[in-house]
C-alpha cells in the first residue's frame, strides 16, 4: 500500500497525528477537517498515498467515492443541512494544499455565502469533536 512518511494525511492514517475520525473501512478513512468552512466539514481519504485524482489507481478512487456517498448520507441524516458540496482539488492552482488525495464534504446552509478559504485557522476543537460524534452515530 503506497505510503509517504512525510505526508500529514498518511500520519493521520497511522494514528501519529490525532484526528476526529467519523468512519473507517479497509480502504478509506474519514475525519473532521481541522479548519472547517462550515460545521460538519469532513475529509474522505484513501489509505493509499497518491497526490491527486490523476495518479491514484482506479479501485482506490472508487472506494473513496463510495465512502464519500456513505458519509454524505450520514452528514445529511445527522445535520440536516440545506445542501452539501462535494469538492476535490488537484494542484496548487486549484487550491490543493495537502498532496494526498482527499474529498471534501461540506454541509451548506441556504444563504451562507460560503467562500472556499479553508485552511486559514484551526476551528474550535470542542465544536468539531461534538459534530464528529453526531455524524459518526449516523453512518449506516
Ligand atoms: P485542500 O486545500 O488540499 O483541498 O484541503 C486540505 C484540507 O486539509 C484543508 O481543508 C485543511 O484544513 C485540512 N487539513 C490540513 N492539515 C490538517 C490536519 O492536520 N488535520 C486535519 N484534520 N485537517 C487538516
Ligand atoms: Zn499520504
Amino acid at each position: 500500500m503506497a505510503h509517504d512518511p512525510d505526508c500529514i494525511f498518511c500520519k493521520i492514517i497511522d494514528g501519529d497525528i490525532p484526528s476526529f475520525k467519523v468512519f473507517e473501512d479497509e480502504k478509506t478513512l474519514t475525519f473532521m477537517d481541522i479548519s472547517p468552512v462550515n460545521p460538519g466539514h469532513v475529509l474522505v481519504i484513501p489509505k493509499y498515498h497518491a497526490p491527486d485524482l490523476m495518479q491514484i489507481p482506479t479501485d482506490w478512487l472508487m472506494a473513496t467515492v463510495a465512502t464519500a456517498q456513505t458519509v454524505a448520507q450520514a452528514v445529511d441524516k445527522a445535520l440536516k443541512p440545506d445542501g452539501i458540496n462535494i469538492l476535490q482539488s488537484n494542484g496548487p492552482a486549484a487550491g490543493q494544499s495537502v498532496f494526498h488525495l482527499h474529498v471534501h464534504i461540506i454541509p451548506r446552509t441556504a444563504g451562507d455565502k460560503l467562500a472556499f478559504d479553508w485552511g486559514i485557522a484551526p476551528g474550535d476543537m470542542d465544536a468539531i469533536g461534538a459534530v464528529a460524534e453526531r455524524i459518526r452515530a449516523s453512518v449506516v
Side-chain angles (χ1 to χ4, degrees):
M1 195 175 297
H3 183 269
D4 177 354
D6 297 323
C7 167
I8 197 159
F9 286 176
C10 285
K11 289 178 183 174
I12 286 177
I13 292 167
D14 291 345
D16 293 339
I17 291 179
S19 66
F20 290 106
K21 296 177 183 170
V22 296
F23 180 73
E24 182 167 13
D25 61 13
E26 186 193 350
K27 286 193 163 171
T28 70
L29 176 65
T30 303
F31 54 96
M32 306 307 289
D33 195 293
I34 201 169
S35 305
V37 290
N38 263 348
H41 179 178
V42 300
L43 301 173
V44 182
I45 64 172
K47 294 179 181 175
Y48 181 106
H49 181 84
D52 57 33
L53 186 95
M54 286 73 77
Q55 298 180 66
I56 191 160
T58 304
D59 58 330
W60 287 94
L61 177 62
M62 292 301 101
T64 304
V65 171
T67 293
Q69 184 187 36
T70 296
V71 176
Q73 289 166 339
V75 166
D76 198 39
K77 184 177 166 192
L79 307 181
K80 298 181 176 47
D82 296 326
I84 296 175
N85 280 113
I86 306 292
L87 195 139
Q88 189 272 323
S89 305
N90 300 280
Q96 186 177 12
S97 60
V98 177
F99 296 92
H100 178 132
L101 172 79
H102 52 280
V103 175
H104 296 262
I105 298 177
I106 304 167
R108 300 297 304 270
T109 302
D112 64 13
K113 296 188 172 63
L114 182 59
F116 291 102
D117 55 357
W118 54 64
I120 305 295
D124 179 317
M125 292 302 142
D126 288 341
I128 294 172
V131 77
E133 180 53 38
R134 291 174 63 194
I135 297 169
R136 202 179 288 132
S138 293
V139 176
V140 290

